[in-house]
Amino acid sequence: MPVEFIAEFCQNHNGDTVLLDEMIQAAAESGARVGKIQTIFADNLSYRPKFETGVTVAGEQGVIQRPYRPEYDRLKGLELDFDAHARFVELCNDRGLVPMTTCFSREHVGRIRDAGFQYVKVASYDCASYPMLRELASCFDELVVSTGATFDDEIVTATRVLHGCRFSLLHCVTLYPTPLDQVHLSRMDFLRPLCDRVGFSDHSLVSRDGVIAAKVACHLGAKIVERHFTLLPPENTKDGVVSVGPDHVRELVEFDAMDSQAQRELLDESHPGWE
């Protein structure tokens, strides 16, 4: 079976639904199978005093600086209302993409379902949000659960919570961008006994590393590969530096179509020592 490539649009649309339409078309034409947005709203942010100035411990950054009001204002301008969600589902279906969104709050589960989604992503920081997992499992045909910010025992518990539901697990590293020596693709081996479908959400630096990490993941048996996707220059969106364009997706699709031996030879030639 071909690898399922998820084009994660995140907030790379900058709140512009016309640009989002163009992203859907470009992702479909480049060979992605899934187009994904994020159901996230500024009103769900919490004020956290430590984030107002950041915290430094012994000269090290202990808590990043992300003041509430600037972050609220930034996120507010990137929101997609639920009419836009429904239109996204319709356009994806029309253009041959499976529509998907990430649910960040239980209060939105019903609205996401009503917009027409049947395929939903759970972010790394919610892998252990067991009440939300149960609710999502009862409402949608399939879930993809990211595991990058979760302890091993929490992942195991999540799979028990989802027993009887169709779900997949994604390995990822919640470091943006992720250096290649920290992608830890062997982590997929821990996930495989827990789930029939295991994949990789890749946050490596595109300008330096291209899509080598995603290619290696495919070669090592990933069933799903997720990459942030953009049509804009990297500096024009917050996630631009870890986002691929249509040509990168085509490159991944072409690589996935090769047999295993051809893949290995290409990796050996282009990235010696990749193992």
Side-chain angles (χ1 to χ4, degrees):
M1 289 290 291
V3 172
E4 177 178 283
F5 291 104
I6 300 175
E8 160 65 290
F9 301 141
C10 45
Q11 280 77 47
N12 283 340
H13 49 71
N14 288 337
D16 181 345
T17 55
V18 174
L19 175 57
L20 181 59
D21 292 354
E22 294 172 358
M23 294 170 75
I24 295 169
Q25 183 68 33
E29 290 176 351
S30 64
R33 180 172 177 266
V34 178
K36 190 173 84 65
I37 56 174
Q38 296 182 353
T39 304
I40 188 168
F41 297 96
D43 288 340
N44 291 122
L45 290 176
S46 298
Y47 176 82
R48 298 168 294 182
K50 288 184 178 180
F51 284 75
E52 295 302 299
T53 58
V55 175
T56 301
V57 179
E60 299 276 335
Q61 186 77 48
V63 177
I64 62 173
Q65 182 179 4
R66 186 167 289 177
Y68 174 81
R69 180 48 59 181
E71 182 67 4
Y72 181 94
D73 292 341
R74 182 190 74 84
L75 191 58
K76 194 69 177 173
L78 302 175
E79 290 180 351
L80 299 172
D81 64 23
F82 281 102
D83 287 339
H85 277 61
R87 175 173 168 77
F88 176 81
V89 170
E90 181 180 355
L91 287 176
C92 283
N93 287 331
D94 287 347
R95 294 170 187 175
L97 282 182
V98 177
M100 179 190 242
T101 189
T102 302
C103 178
F104 288 94
S105 174
R106 290 177 67 191
E107 70 176 281
H108 299 136
V109 172
R111 300 293 298 275
I112 290 170
R113 179 192 57 211
D114 293 345
F117 290 92
Q118 285 300 325
Y119 199 17
V120 170
K121 168 87 179 286
V122 177
S124 289
Y125 291 97
D126 283 316
C127 180
S129 299
Y130 306 130
M132 187 166 80
L133 290 182
R134 292 186 184 94
E135 191 165 351
L136 289 169
S138 71
C139 291
F140 298 98
D141 291 342
E142 185 172 357
L143 304 180
V144 170
V145 182
S146 200
T147 63
T150 317
F151 292 110
D152 290 355
D153 62 324
E154 293 174 326
I155 297 170
V156 172
T157 300
T159 63
R160 291 171 179 161
V161 168
L162 294 173
H163 180 72
C165 167
R166 179 169 167 77
F167 70 94
S168 306
L169 295 176
L170 294 187
H171 163 59
C172 78
V173 178
T174 52
L175 176 62
Y176 294 65
T178 308
L180 290 183
D181 63 358
Q182 295 185 49
V183 296
H184 303 310
L185 289 174
S186 61
R187 179 71 173 166
M188 292 191 296
D189 293 336
F190 168 76
L191 300 177
R192 284 192 175 98
L194 303 174
C195 179
D196 291 337
R197 292 213 314 158
V198 167
F200 175 49
S201 183
D202 185 2
H203 301 132
S204 56
L205 182 61
V206 177
S207 62
R208 182 188 62 213
D209 303 321
V211 290
I212 177 61
K215 285 181 177 178
V216 173
C218 292
H219 180 67
L220 295 177
K223 304 299 184 185
I224 301 171
V225 169
E226 178 186 47
R227 285 237 50 163
H228 289 214
F229 182 92
T230 188
L231 297 179
L232 299 175
E235 65 273 13
N236 287 9
T237 69
K238 186 176 180 181
D239 292 331
V241 296
V242 297
S243 299
V244 300
D247 288 345
H248 294 108
V249 176
R250 292 188 189 95
E251 184 179 346
L252 286 171
V253 171
E254 290 171 4
F255 180 83
D256 181 51
M258 298 177 179
D259 63 43
S260 180
Q261 182 60 35
Q263 288 179 348
R264 175 173 285 275
E265 291 173 359
L266 181 60
L267 291 173
D268 288 341
E269 178 182 353
S270 60
H271 297 85
W274 61 270
E275 292 181 276

